[in-house]
Amino acid sequence: MFLPTPPNSDPLVLTLGISAMISMVASLTLVRWRKPASAEIIDTIKRSQSFLQQMGCIVIVLSLEGKIVEWNHAAEEISGYRREEVIDRNYWMLCLPESVRDGVKFRYLQAIATQQQVHVHHILLGSDGRQQQVNFQIVPWRNYCGEILGAIVTGEPVACSPDGSCEQELECERLQQLISYLPLPIAMFDTEMRYLAYSEGWIQHLKPQIYSLIGLNHYDVFPNVKNDWKLAHKKALRGEKVSALEDSWIREDGSLIYHGWTVGPWYRNSGEVGGVILVIIPLNNLVETRNAALDAVQFKSRFLAQMSHEIRTPMSGVLGMVELLMQTHLTPQQKDYTQTIYRSAKHLLTVINEILDLSKLEAGETHLESHDFDLQDCLETVVDLLAVKAEDKQLELIILLEPNLPRYLKGDGMRLQQVLINLVNNAIKFTKSGHIIIRVTPRVISQDHINIYFAIEDTGMGISDELQPQLFQPFSPASSATNRQYGGTGLGLSICQHLVNLMGGEIGVKSQEEEGSIFWFNATFLPSELSETSAPKELKNMSLLVVENSSLVRHSVSCITQPWGIQVETADTSKIALDKWHHQQAKGSPYNLILMDLELLDRHGAKLLGQLYKTSSDSPTQLILMSSISQRNRAEQVLNLGDFVYLVKPIAPLRLLRSFAKALELDIPNLDHHLDKSWDDVLMGSSFPETPKPPCCHLSQTNDKLRASIPLKILLAEDDLVNQEVVLTQLQQLGYVADAVSDGEAVLQHLETQHYDLILMDCQMPILDGYETTARIRGSQNSQRPPIIIALTASVMPSDRDRCLQVGMDDYITKPIDLQALVNVINRWVPVCLETQNPTPTTANHQPPLDSPVDCPVDSDRLNKLFKGKTEYKYRLLTTFIHQAQQRIETLNKAINTSNFAEIKQQAHALKGSSANAGIFHIPAISQELENLATQQNLEAIPPLVKQLQHHLDLVKDFVEMMKNP
């Protein structure tokens, strides 16, 4: 098909339009792909390369150094050089006379520097020395990412008829050939966006209603052109080049298409912009393939979640029955069999959880939190959790911190801790003797980000070169072989790799068989908004003697104490330590601190101990005795001999600093300040607390009597009869008698005739599931005593927890339900149920619940059990609660002023959950009452309750202040 010249068109439009279009197509054709190209793209490239070779105009592609990369047939004909003769040869030296060489080269570099088209007229030398006048356009040659690789030179020999006019008819034929051959959708426009030329691919891809477009305005042909496309066209008319790697558009027939596009200017000989050229790369097949892959991942995630539910539901019955069986009188053999069943079932649950965790990571459903956390506390938690395992194998667990390591970071501390625990646990598992080192090194510290390198070094069995590439693949042969011998699922390292990638880092391994392994990773964090706590000035220039036979422990202490300004000396035997102590005493500069391992307490050590005891009244030296956990009883016997401080190994920075502070009687602020996500989990109503799962649990006799004496009505909604029996029996052991139903409609029917204080609600039930049932209860409740609803579910996805909260559930238990989890959740909500049974819980005459001391606003027994009596942990939890609760009360007061009942209800609900979780009396019940009033939109009754909230919060503040200053 011959395309006629558009009316009133400039002949230069066709001449220069061809060159500009070739340049753009050549830019697409000669792309250097960074990723493997699809078959469709490869075929397009081959066809486009063939097109360049067959074009009648000259096409030469040069590298940045001026070497010839491409040389088409037209260039061969005009120069006499064959393509294979010129590839990789220097264009300037081969084809340009010396007289014009520098000038043309300058124009070439100008095109590269300005990233614009440059026109040049020069003489081209042929292979026989013949000179030919040519008009060339030089444009930058870019790869797919926009990087400049060189330049594309396109042009024509100066060819005029005898009367000097340009051969317009010949140019039209060449334009027709070009457009009909192009494999891509491409169109050329003038400055008014009128069509000058277009390819058949343009029609096939965009499917306009009009098939003859020459001379028509593009916006008239396609009235629904996007505004950002119009803006790109305007930029191109101003001389810019605009691209989009992926875009979408709805055709006039309603079909959705995907493509990438590039729009750029073409120029007349005068240098003016003559219009634009628009090239489109269809992406429909690629996008459909990608979407199908994403759908497959989502289906896999949903399938695994459903399978988790189907497996966890019967497993809940199995584990529950086994727990009940273990509390009966069994013979030793029966007890052994029962424990084997329990351990096997627990292992199966571990496998299920890790498969789900990996599935969420692969599906992109796992998102990192961003909060301030304490890196040193994170490391201490890791070694605390794994210290017993390491000690059982007589392995030394060491932390080595490099200088200038920031203590506070902003990121997901819990996920970092998960990676470290997994890697250290693996190191312990595969190491028979020796040590495990946790090495932490800052790589980059800037105002924008902090990159830290972690290495877990062990002296274990090592890994062969053949197996190392497979380690981070789930269920790889490398993991399968070791898991059969050492246990595990083979998913831990794969999960670690995904988490490290989310943290903007990399993970790898260095290992040799029989020589140990180093698993390393780096992660990027944001600088914390918390200011770095400087070392106590009292520690600066103090002298410390470390008496320890392990060189690694001595080195670890030196690394930790170096930033504190402490002068460290070491001794690997008690005899050397005794000699050094005598020497310093004789000099009149005794050590301020001696850190001694219990293992070195031989006769020389005992002598040193005796000397310290004798001179304790007039000597500044303080002894800190350190030992492993298993030696604690022996250590306590030694501590009774004198006023010494005890330190449990493995040594961690905060633990060591605490021992120094205690020995020297220093008051160090923020020593136990933690900001880990775990505390937010305990306090925030949007995240339910995790509960421990021991094999069995017995309430004390006192608690049994107490709970049985409380008129607490419980309704169990569970469709699985085995699980019903398990939970009902567990409740009976706790002193409660509950009603049971098997679907949501039965729950609603029971609530019509009687009130329940607490409902244990299965989420997946027939007829009406737990979510819908809860939503109906919350939507229709007019009672002053709404029930506390606890979710029972086999689903463990974060979205399931969020859904429970959204429909109005108060807490969450994951199946299988063990007795301790049930104890925890009921104890947490009993105070709320007790206070809501009194219609005026906030009056001055209101009596505290049975387990609440009259003068104590906090359930100390609960916190002591939760934190094993550690006062610093209770203090940390309560101070965090006070801060959050005060913010919520302030938000409540603002919501009252604007009559924002939705905000009042939301804040009251969150405060109810966080206060109950923190073991606070009175506040949960008042918050429940506030939530009810907000539902009823009773604004007059709300302000007095908020004042009562502030009153009880002030009591908690006073209690915490007494904890700080007893």
Side-chain angles (χ1 to χ4, degrees):
M1 178 184 69
F2 176 74
L3 298 177
T5 304
N8 303 321
S9 64
D10 189 339
L12 287 176
V13 166
L14 296 176
T15 304
L16 300 177
I18 291 175
S19 299
M21 192 174 300
I22 291 171
S23 300
M24 187 168 292
V25 173
S27 296
L28 293 171
T29 302
L30 297 169
V31 160
R32 294 184 179 179
W33 298 88
R34 289 189 172 183
K35 298 181 178 179
S38 66
E40 181 182 358
I41 292 176
I42 293 173
D43 178 65
T44 299
I45 292 174
K46 288 181 179 179
R47 292 171 61 193
S48 299
Q49 288 173 337
S50 175
F51 150 72
L52 291 178
Q53 290 299 322
Q54 297 182 31
M55 283 307 303
C57 61
I58 301 168
V59 180
I60 302 171
V61 182
L62 304 178
S63 69
L64 290 172
E65 298 81 16
K67 291 185 178 181
I68 299 172
V69 177
E70 187 57 62
W71 187 270
N72 75 341
H73 293 313
E76 288 180 340
E77 292 177 2
I78 197 70
S79 67
Y81 288 111
R82 295 191 306 276
R83 182 178 182 276
E84 56 269 21
E85 292 180 306
V86 298
I87 294 299
D88 284 337
R89 296 183 67 179
N90 188 282
Y91 175 72
W92 322 119
M93 303 302 296
L94 181 67
C95 300
L96 300 182
E98 186 176 356
S99 59
V100 301
R101 190 175 296 158
D102 290 340
V104 175
K105 188 174 181 181
F106 173 81
R107 297 286 284 171
Y108 172 90
L109 296 176
Q110 184 183 20
I112 299 297
T114 62
Q115 302 184 24
Q116 300 290 339
Q117 288 189 15
V118 172
H119 301 268
V120 62
H121 177 91
H122 72 82
I123 298 172
L124 184 70
L125 285 177
S127 60
D128 57 359
R130 179 172 49 88
Q131 297 185 353
Q132 172 67 52
Q133 295 283 338
V134 289
N135 278 324
F136 274 143
Q137 279 184 305
I138 305 173
V139 295
W141 167 33
R142 305 171 185 269
N143 66 6
Y144 191 73
C145 297
E147 299 168 340
I148 296 178
L149 306 177
I152 302 168
V153 181
T154 60
E156 297 280 346
V158 177
C160 296
S161 59
D163 62 359
S165 61
C166 295
E167 299 176 349
Q168 180 175 336
E169 184 176 349
L170 177 61
E171 296 299 334
C172 289
E173 292 176 359
R174 289 177 177 173
L175 180 59
Q176 177 185 4
Q177 177 188 10
L178 167 63
I179 293 174
S180 63
Y181 193 81
L182 279 176
L184 297 173
I186 185 170
M188 179 178 179
F189 305 89
D190 64 12
T191 55
E192 301 297 325
M193 289 304 294
R194 292 186 296 244
Y195 280 89
L196 301 178
Y198 56 90
S199 68
E200 186 63 27
W202 183 271
I203 299 295
Q204 293 176 355
H205 184 69
L206 299 180
K207 298 186 184 304
Q209 299 295 323
I210 304 172
Y211 281 84
S212 180
L213 306 180
I214 298 299
L216 299 180
N217 185 277
H218 180 55
Y219 305 137
D220 293 336
V221 176
F222 299 107
N224 61 337
V225 170
K226 294 181 178 180
N227 288 331
D228 56 343
W229 291 4
K230 291 181 180 180
L231 181 61
H233 301 160
K234 291 179 181 179
K235 289 182 178 180
L237 289 171
R238 293 197 297 266
E240 300 180 37
K241 182 178 179 182
V242 185
S243 300
L245 296 180
E246 182 181 332
D247 208 336
S248 62
W249 185 61
I250 300 177
R251 298 188 183 114
E252 292 185 355
D253 60 6
S255 59
L256 178 66
I257 57 175
Y258 295 91
H259 52 236
W261 51 264
T262 298
V263 61
W266 61 267
Y267 295 88
R268 293 188 173 92
N269 271 344
S270 62
E272 297 177 333
V273 174
V276 299
I277 297 173
L278 178 57
V279 180
I280 291 176
I281 304 176
L283 299 175
N284 274 17
N285 292 340
L286 295 177
V287 172
E288 289 173 2
T289 302
R290 181 192 64 193
N291 291 342
L294 291 175
D295 289 341
V297 171
Q298 294 293 331
F299 174 79
K300 172 186 173 184
S301 177
R302 291 193 298 270
F303 171 77
L304 288 174
Q306 183 63 29
M307 286 303 297
S308 166
H309 174 79
E310 296 300 330
I311 294 174
R312 280 176 168 270
T313 297
M315 285 300 298
S316 178
V318 171
L319 284 169
M321 286 299 184
V322 170
E323 286 185 3
L324 296 176
L325 182 61
M326 293 173 69
Q327 296 177 44
T328 63
H329 297 289
L330 302 174
T331 66
Q333 187 178 34
Q334 290 171 336
K335 186 174 182 180
D336 182 59
Y337 291 162
T338 307
Q339 289 176 342
T340 301
I341 295 172
Y342 188 87
R343 285 193 296 267
S344 299
K346 280 290 188 179
H347 177 70
L348 178 57
L349 283 179
T350 300
V351 174
I352 294 170
N353 289 337
E354 291 200 349
I355 291 175
L356 281 172
D357 206 1
L358 181 62
S359 172
K360 288 184 289 183
L361 286 164
E362 290 181 341
E365 294 183 359
T366 300
H367 304 286
L368 297 184
E369 302 289 341
S370 182
H371 56 87
D372 295 307
F373 71 95
D374 188 334
L375 178 59
Q376 293 183 7
D377 178 64
C378 176
L379 295 171
E380 184 170 316
T381 302
V382 172
V383 297
D384 282 350
L385 289 173
L386 300 173
V388 175
K389 272 190 175 182
E391 188 173 323
D392 288 344
K393 301 181 72 172
Q394 297 183 340
L395 300 175
E396 197 84 61
L397 192 55
I398 308 294
I399 295 177
L400 291 182
L401 305 182
E402 298 297 327
N404 302 320
L405 185 70
R407 175 177 173 181
Y408 297 112
L409 300 169
K410 191 169 188 176
D412 198 328
M414 295 300 289
R415 290 298 188 179
L416 172 64
Q417 188 172 295
Q418 181 181 351
V419 174
L420 288 170
I421 289 174
N422 197 303
L423 295 179
V424 176
N425 188 53
N426 280 351
I428 295 172
K429 184 190 300 184
F430 299 118
T431 303
K432 293 182 179 179
S433 62
H435 61 260
I436 288 103
I437 299 175
I438 305 173
R439 191 183 301 273
V440 187
T441 307
R443 287 289 181 85
V444 177
I445 300 179
S446 68
Q447 294 181 347
D448 299 328
H449 70 282
I450 298 172
N451 186 269
I452 297 180
Y453 173 86
F454 300 85
I456 313 302
E457 307 172 12
D458 65 59
T459 54
M461 60 197 303
I463 306 165
S464 67
D465 294 339
E466 294 78 14
L467 293 180
Q468 288 181 29
Q470 307 172 20
L471 286 175
F472 298 98
Q473 300 173 12
F475 302 115
S476 67
S479 60
S480 299
T482 53
N483 292 334
R484 284 193 295 269
Q485 181 179 358
Y486 295 94
T489 63
L491 297 176
L493 288 178
S494 182
I495 292 172
C496 287
Q497 184 180 48
H498 282 283
L499 291 176
V500 168
N501 289 340
L502 285 176
M503 289 187 281
E506 297 177 316
I507 189 170
V509 61
K510 302 174 185 177
S511 182
Q512 290 186 4
E513 290 186 272
E514 307 302 330
E515 294 188 12
S517 304
I518 301 175
F519 280 85
W520 61 267
F521 71 95
N522 60 73
T524 300
F525 306 93
L526 296 174
S528 171
E529 296 177 1
L530 300 175
S531 58
E532 288 292 326
T533 54
S534 58
K537 59 182 180 180
E538 295 88 349
L539 293 180
K540 191 173 183 180
N541 296 323
M542 278 197 172
S543 56
L544 167 68
L545 177 62
V546 182
V547 188
E548 165 65 54
N549 59 359
S550 169
S551 60
L552 288 173
V553 174
R554 298 196 302 269
H555 181 51
S556 174
V557 174
S558 297
C559 290
I560 293 172
T561 57
Q562 179 184 351
W564 303 342
I566 294 178
Q567 307 299 318
V568 179
E569 293 187 22
T570 62
D572 57 1
T573 67
S574 56
K575 184 179 184 305
I576 295 175
L578 183 61
D579 294 340
K580 287 193 172 186
W581 181 80
H582 281 303
H583 179 69
Q584 292 298 116
Q585 287 289 106
K587 287 174 56 179
S589 55
Y591 294 109
N592 299 104
L593 292 164
I594 296 180
L595 183 63
M596 174 176 281
D597 191 349
L598 184 64
E599 288 288 339
L600 295 183
L601 205 58
D602 52 15
R603 65 186 183 88
H604 298 290
K607 189 175 181 181
L608 175 60
L609 209 64
Q611 294 288 341
L612 290 174
Y613 181 73
K614 289 180 181 178
T615 59
S616 59
S617 59
D618 55 357
S619 173
T621 303
Q622 299 296 321
L623 177 68
I624 301 174
L625 194 65
M626 58 180 173
S627 76
S628 58
I629 298 173
S630 61
Q631 296 176 313
R632 184 180 182 92
N633 291 336
R634 183 189 170 198
E636 288 179 351
Q637 294 174 0
V638 177
L639 293 174
N640 291 332
L641 300 177
D643 188 16
F644 306 132
V645 175
Y646 178 60
L647 173 65
V648 179
K649 298 168 67 176
I651 293 175
L654 292 180
R655 185 180 296 133
L656 184 62
L657 186 57
R658 289 189 202 102
S659 68
F660 287 178
K662 186 174 182 180
L664 299 170
E665 298 182 351
L666 301 178
D667 182 17
I668 303 177
N670 297 328
L671 182 56
D672 293 307
H673 182 62
H674 297 263
L675 290 165
D676 284 336
K677 181 70 169 65
S678 56
W679 299 113
D680 291 336
D681 283 341
V682 173
L683 292 171
M684 296 299 289
S686 61
S687 180
F688 300 109
E690 297 289 348
T691 53
K693 299 184 180 348
C696 61
C697 172
H698 296 282
L699 284 179
S700 67
Q701 189 176 9
T702 303
N703 275 338
D704 282 341
K705 294 179 180 179
L706 174 64
R707 301 310 182 199
S709 67
I710 297 173
L712 193 65
K713 295 202 65 175
I714 299 176
L715 176 63
L716 170 64
E718 168 63 66
D719 63 311
D720 188 277
L721 296 181
V722 175
N723 288 335
Q724 253 193 34
E725 183 65 27
V726 169
V727 178
L728 288 174
T729 305
Q730 289 174 330
L731 289 172
Q732 288 175 3
Q733 290 182 335
L734 303 181
Y736 297 109
V737 176
D739 296 332
V741 295
S742 58
D743 62 75
E745 284 192 355
V747 172
L748 298 178
Q749 291 171 3
H750 275 64
L751 289 176
E752 288 177 358
T753 59
Q754 54 189 311
H755 171 77
Y756 288 95
D757 299 294
L758 188 144
I759 301 176
L760 300 174
M761 183 83 73
D762 183 25
C763 292
Q764 301 293 336
M765 293 186 293
I767 304 178
L768 196 65
D769 65 24
Y771 300 116
E772 181 62 26
T773 304
T774 302
R776 292 191 185 185
I777 293 172
R778 296 309 188 205
S780 63
Q781 66 185 30
N782 295 316
S783 170
Q784 296 297 316
R785 297 170 54 197
I788 299 298
I789 301 178
I790 310 298
L792 308 179
T793 179
S795 301
V796 293
M797 306 292 275
S799 56
D800 298 312
R801 297 189 175 195
D802 294 339
R803 187 179 178 188
C804 290
L805 180 70
Q806 290 169 1
V807 300
M809 294 182 180
D810 297 290
D811 214 327
Y812 187 103
I813 303 180
T814 302
K815 294 180 180 179
I817 301 166
D818 62 24
L819 190 58
Q820 186 62 54
L822 198 57
V823 169
N824 291 343
V825 74
I826 292 178
N827 282 346
R828 189 152 57 238
W829 291 103
V830 159
V832 179
C833 296
L834 288 176
E835 295 204 23
T836 55
Q837 289 176 6
N838 189 325
T840 56
T842 59
T843 60
N845 297 325
H846 174 64
Q847 296 298 319
L850 296 176
D851 54 352
S852 152
V854 175
D855 58 348
C856 180
V858 175
D859 187 350
S860 296
D861 290 340
R862 165 174 153 71
L863 296 183
N864 285 332
K865 291 177 182 178
L866 183 62
F867 298 121
K868 299 179 180 179
K870 295 184 177 180
T871 303
E872 63 270 21
Y873 289 177
K874 292 189 293 182
Y875 176 79
R876 184 174 69 207
L877 172 66
L878 293 174
T879 52
T880 306
F881 165 76
I882 290 170
H883 175 72
Q884 293 181 348
Q886 190 63 60
Q887 288 183 332
R888 294 194 185 283
I889 291 175
E890 292 172 2
T891 305
L892 281 170
N893 285 321
K894 293 178 181 178
I896 291 172
N897 294 333
T898 59
S899 300
N900 189 342
F901 292 105
E903 182 69 27
I904 294 172
K905 184 175 181 180
Q906 179 181 354
Q907 294 298 326
H909 184 82
L911 190 56
K912 176 183 67 175
S914 63
S915 58
N917 290 338
I920 309 297
F921 292 127
H922 304 292
I923 290 181
I926 300 173
S927 301
Q928 178 69 75
E929 182 72 9
L930 268 177
E931 191 175 353
N932 298 340
L933 292 174
T935 302
Q936 301 164 12
Q937 298 192 0
N938 185 351
L939 188 62
E940 292 183 1
I942 290 177
L945 291 184
V946 176
K947 291 182 180 179
Q948 288 292 330
L949 281 179
Q950 186 64 61
H951 168 71
H952 287 291
L953 182 61
D954 291 340
L955 293 178
V956 177
K957 292 179 181 178
D958 294 340
F959 177 80
V960 172
E961 190 64 28
M962 290 176 60
M963 290 177 61
K964 184 178 179 183
N965 302 302

